[in-house]
Amino acid sequence: MHMRTLVVALTLAACAGAQQAPPPDNRPLFDRLGGQSAISAVVHDFVVKTKADPRISQFFTNTDPVKLEQAMDDHVCAITGGGCTYKGKSMVDAHTNMHLSDADFAAFMDDLTATLAKLKVPKREAMEVIDAFDRLRPQVVGH
């Protein structure tokens, strides 16, 4: 085998063996989640789960599930970059006099995590949703 042929063969073999990682998906979280229909599916399942969770269900007894889902749809769309405008109460106003504890918030986050896992939301996107809700903790707990 000639030296030139050997170099070409080794170069081709090296290129064939090297797998290039796909470029990162830098679309807004809203798009990576699957848009409004996917968000609505997550929100619906999540509302059903939280209303049935004995740790926190008492906070939802006087809540209209349809209105709650619509408000959460808009809120999640807005915080994930979907271009929606959340028109509901601020998080502080919505949770004032509920006296939610860190344990209550943890139960809420457990339900969210379980819902995202059940619906097979990819890890990166699930973590971003969880982080977005976790940032709301100071506006929700203790008011």
Side-chain angles (χ1 to χ4, degrees):
M1 188 181 271
H2 290 101
M3 184 62 143
R4 183 174 181 183
T5 306
L6 179 60
V7 171
V8 170
L10 289 174
T11 302
L12 289 175
C15 289
Q19 295 181 359
Q20 291 189 359
D25 188 346
N26 292 322
R27 295 177 298 155
L29 178 56
F30 176 84
D31 294 326
R32 288 183 283 121
L33 287 169
Q36 193 60 51
S37 62
I39 286 173
S40 294
V42 169
V43 166
H44 175 75
D45 195 81
F46 180 58
V47 168
V48 169
K49 187 163 192 60
T50 55
K51 286 181 72 69
D53 185 336
R55 299 174 296 173
I56 57 175
S57 61
Q58 70 274 15
F59 297 114
F60 298 96
T61 55
N62 295 323
T63 303
D64 178 342
V66 174
K67 286 182 180 179
L68 177 61
E69 280 189 41
Q70 183 58 58
M72 286 189 75
D73 274 349
D74 291 344
H75 192 244
V76 174
C77 174
I79 65 175
T80 59
C84 301
T85 301
Y86 172 68
K87 296 177 181 148
K89 294 179 180 179
S90 73
M91 290 299 104
V92 171
D93 288 345
H95 297 92
T96 293
N97 295 323
M98 289 181 73
H99 309 290
L100 296 169
S101 68
D102 283 322
D104 299 326
F105 194 83
F108 177 89
M109 294 300 284
D110 286 348
D111 290 345
L112 177 61
T113 301
T115 298
L116 295 168
K118 175 185 172 190
L119 296 177
K120 296 179 175 41
V121 174
K123 184 177 181 178
R124 174 185 173 199
E125 286 74 18
M127 292 307 301
E128 288 181 42
V129 170
I130 290 166
D131 288 346
F133 273 89
D134 199 44
R135 284 191 298 272
L136 299 173
R137 179 187 307 261
Q139 299 170 42
V140 173
V141 173
H143 295 283

